[in-house]
Amino acid sequence: ILENDGTEAANLGNIEISSSTHMGSIIARQSLLVGYGIMGNSGEWLLAPDIRINKIEWEEPDHYILYAGDKIGMYFPEHKVKINPSYDDIELIDAGVAIVQKGDKYGLIDTETGETILKTNYCWIGNYGEGLLCAKRWIFSPYGYIDLDGNWAVDPHFLEIGGAFSNGLTRVSVNDKYGYIVNPLLYDT
């Protein structure tokens, strides 16, 4: 690694560099037998090479996507948090939370600590808005809304939902009747 004036900042030896990324960090591996890791601009490993990781990509604004075959994970350098690549899909939402998917089940992970908020045992989680996520426990169960801690904020008894809360409201259906409900986090109901 060279400084801007051309002098050597760090000698990487036999390191294969894949690409440079955010703030001078480098995606690299030590050999073909060792998976990829993330190296700082002075040659120290920020995320040690992992034999399972076959690809790493920087994702704006603040994290890396880790690939291990057909599974994905994430690394957040600001918090030094690694979410192991064991998921089929990960969707970041506001407030440091990610929706994770394993097979046909969904859960929640705290991206600042890496801790599981809600295990992957929900049939579906999505449509984030105003602090709530739509959720469905089982395939034939009704929809409801959970908060970012995984607690039911609106009990599941809707056959259809209109999506995320917006301006304090969302459209729902019960017994072929449609209407709107208010967000309990914003208004006393």
Side-chain angles (χ1 to χ4, degrees):
I1 298 176
L2 300 177
E3 298 286 356
N4 288 342
D5 65 4
T7 60
E8 185 177 285
N11 184 338
L12 301 182
N14 200 17
I15 301 291
E16 175 191 332
I17 296 174
S18 172
S19 64
S20 63
T21 62
H22 178 67
M23 298 185 66
S25 58
I26 298 167
I27 297 170
R29 63 181 173 179
Q30 291 175 313
S31 73
L32 293 176
L33 302 175
V34 178
Y36 286 94
I38 302 166
M39 186 177 280
N41 56 12
S42 61
E44 80 284 5
W45 288 106
L46 303 175
L47 180 66
D50 182 333
I51 195 162
R52 298 170 300 161
I53 298 175
N54 60 320
K55 182 179 176 184
I56 299 176
E57 294 177 344
W58 172 252
E59 184 80 18
E60 292 292 342
D62 63 355
H63 64 282
Y64 293 89
I65 306 289
L66 310 175
Y67 297 90
D70 63 348
K71 302 296 181 188
I72 62 172
M74 293 183 172
Y75 176 69
F76 296 85
E78 179 182 349
H79 305 293
K80 295 183 174 84
V81 169
K82 177 183 177 186
I83 297 171
N84 284 318
S86 59
Y87 297 99
D88 296 312
D89 194 18
I90 299 177
E91 178 187 347
L92 284 179
I93 58 174
D94 293 341
V97 174
I99 300 170
V100 293
Q101 179 184 359
K102 276 188 177 182
D104 61 355
K105 298 294 183 183
Y106 293 78
L108 299 175
I109 287 186
D110 183 321
T111 59
E112 293 179 7
T113 66
E115 298 294 319
T116 299
I117 297 170
L118 196 61
K119 291 182 179 182
T120 51
N121 56 13
Y122 279 72
C123 175
W124 184 75
I125 298 175
N127 293 343
Y128 175 75
E130 299 180 349
L132 295 178
L133 288 151
C134 183
K136 188 173 185 172
R137 191 78 163 142
W138 301 281
I139 193 152
F140 295 112
S141 67
Y143 293 95
Y145 287 85
I146 58 175
D147 63 21
L148 295 178
D149 293 323
N151 301 311
W152 289 105
V154 177
D155 289 330
H157 54 262
F158 303 106
L159 298 179
E160 294 180 37
I161 49 110
F165 276 94
S166 178
N167 297 315
L169 297 172
T170 192
R171 185 172 163 257
V172 295
S173 167
V174 176
N175 299 329
D176 294 326
K177 295 181 182 178
Y178 294 86
Y180 289 87
I181 59 172
V182 298
N183 185 334
L185 298 182
L186 301 178
Y187 304 103
D188 288 332
T189 56

